[in-house]
Amino acid sequence: MSAEPSPFPPGGRPLTVGAIALVLMLCLTWGFNQIAIKLVLREIPPYTQAALRSAGGLLMILSIAWFRGVKLFERDGTLKAGLFIGTIFGVEFLVIFHGLELTTASRAVVFLYTMPFFVAFGAYQLLGERLSAMQWGGLAVSFAGVAVAIGVPQPNVTASVLFGDLLMIIGAAMWAATTLIVKRTRLIYVTPEKALGYQVGLSIPILSIGALVAGERIPAVPSALSMSLLSFQAFWVVGLTFLLWFSLIKTHSASKLAAFTFITPLFGVVGGYLILGDQLTPVFGLAALLVIAGLVLVNRPARSAATNALLNVTKT
């Protein structure tokens, strides 16, 4: 997979007000998504749930592609990269869904959204995106938050929960990898439907095999709530918000865009506490604040771009 020259400026286009508003909407959705998965886990086991939501998401992607007249099966030199990114995507969700079995939704969303840390570091190494001293300091603060959450003993945190936390961090690194692969390969040229289609389509057999190996069974007909939340995951989260995300990363700075997801852990922690009754200790509260504060620092230049764009709009 050789790198191709990007059709956009190095590092991507500056973040606009519209792009920032869209990312914030995605953050709200993704913050609740971990809670939805945990609720459905009560009736549908993890890998089966993940495979079903990928199947529903693929149906949505194919429908959108048909409606927009997007040709998904033309030869364009992206098959190798597509298979690679699809495999990572499938394994990523094996890891994430197993992690969600072991840890709480609040902890899961904080650790999963260390993704910007991996994107920023990878963008520096692979895409030539330069980070300021403040941004590197922000990454260090976020890393310290993760270290506090994992390393400091807490009464409600067992070895099993810590293993679940670790799986979420691995999932975050794999999510970052898919973002960077899109930016570094010919996938940057294809439509979001095709880039995401590779991933969601290949994840279905990977997750299905995982369900078979784990011997998963659905013991009873799922409730209306579980089916509604599964539909939310499949059609809205996978089928639409992932498409919107890939549309954004094709044209904007990978590290600055990813850093805007700092708000997602806040939504997830508050939602986990209010909806699932997740226990929040002072130590974990400090860790979550460190992670979020660090990602805010990473995002400082992106916020300046947003402010400038807003000023330009008000002047016209």
Side-chain angles (χ1 to χ4, degrees):
M1 289 181 303
S2 61
E4 295 286 341
S6 173
F8 305 109
R13 296 175 181 170
L15 292 177
T16 64
V17 173
I20 292 169
L22 183 55
V23 173
L24 291 177
M25 182 275 290
L26 298 180
C27 291
L28 177 60
T29 293
W30 295 338
F32 179 73
N33 185 49
Q34 313 307 315
I35 299 169
I37 293 171
K38 290 288 285 188
L39 290 171
V40 177
L41 279 174
R42 298 171 181 176
E43 300 185 51
I44 303 176
Y47 304 147
T48 302
Q49 181 184 163
L52 289 173
R53 84 171 202 159
S54 284
L58 182 61
L59 179 61
M60 177 64 78
I61 293 166
L62 293 175
S63 299
I64 293 172
W66 173 81
F67 180 77
R68 294 184 60 224
V70 174
K71 297 179 180 179
L72 297 177
F73 302 103
E74 285 188 328
R75 293 187 177 183
D76 54 12
T78 62
L79 181 61
K80 184 177 179 180
L83 293 176
F84 183 51
I85 198 174
T87 301
I88 294 176
F89 186 88
V91 176
E92 171 193 337
F93 280 96
L94 283 176
V95 170
I96 288 174
F97 272 72
H98 185 46
L100 277 164
E101 277 192 301
L102 303 175
T103 191
T104 67
S106 297
R107 296 179 68 87
V109 75
V110 169
F111 290 117
L112 182 59
Y113 284 88
T114 58
M115 178 271 290
F117 177 93
F118 297 105
V119 170
F121 185 77
Y124 172 78
Q125 293 290 330
L126 302 175
L127 304 181
E129 294 187 15
R130 294 295 177 245
L131 302 180
S132 67
M134 179 178 292
Q135 288 175 301
W136 280 114
L139 292 177
V141 171
S142 291
F143 185 80
V146 173
V148 167
I150 291 180
V152 177
Q154 300 172 62
N156 64 327
V157 177
T158 64
S160 178
V161 171
L162 288 176
F163 183 60
D165 296 341
L166 177 61
L167 290 177
M168 300 310 294
I169 294 174
I170 293 172
M174 299 181 79
W175 182 8
T178 61
T179 299
L180 295 170
I181 290 169
V182 168
K183 300 287 283 188
R184 283 284 294 176
T185 67
R186 291 184 63 87
L187 290 170
I188 193 70
Y189 296 97
V190 304
T191 63
E193 290 89 347
K194 185 160 188 175
L196 187 57
Y198 275 125
Q199 297 171 80
V200 176
L202 196 55
S203 74
I204 296 172
I206 292 174
L207 293 166
S208 298
I209 291 171
L212 288 174
V213 171
E216 291 185 350
R217 297 288 186 273
I218 301 177
V221 177
S223 66
L225 176 61
S226 290
M227 294 305 297
S228 297
L229 291 174
L230 183 58
S231 298
F232 161 78
Q233 294 180 59
F235 299 118
W236 174 246
V237 177
V238 178
L240 286 175
T241 68
F242 286 3
L243 276 180
L244 294 172
W245 173 254
F246 276 94
S247 298
L248 289 168
I249 66 173
K250 277 168 57 68
T251 56
H252 294 83
S253 163
S255 60
K256 294 173 184 176
L257 183 63
F260 244 94
T261 60
F262 73 88
I263 196 68
T264 303
L266 179 60
F267 290 137
V269 168
V270 172
Y273 175 76
L274 294 177
I275 298 173
L276 298 176
D278 288 350
Q279 185 177 358
L280 301 180
T281 65
V283 169
F284 180 69
L286 172 62
L289 287 176
L290 286 173
V291 170
I292 294 170
L295 295 179
V296 170
L297 291 176
V298 173
N299 193 53
R300 284 296 291 275
R303 291 215 310 273
S304 297
T307 302
N308 292 337
L310 182 58
L311 291 174
N312 289 335
V313 169
T314 58
K315 290 176 182 177
T316 59

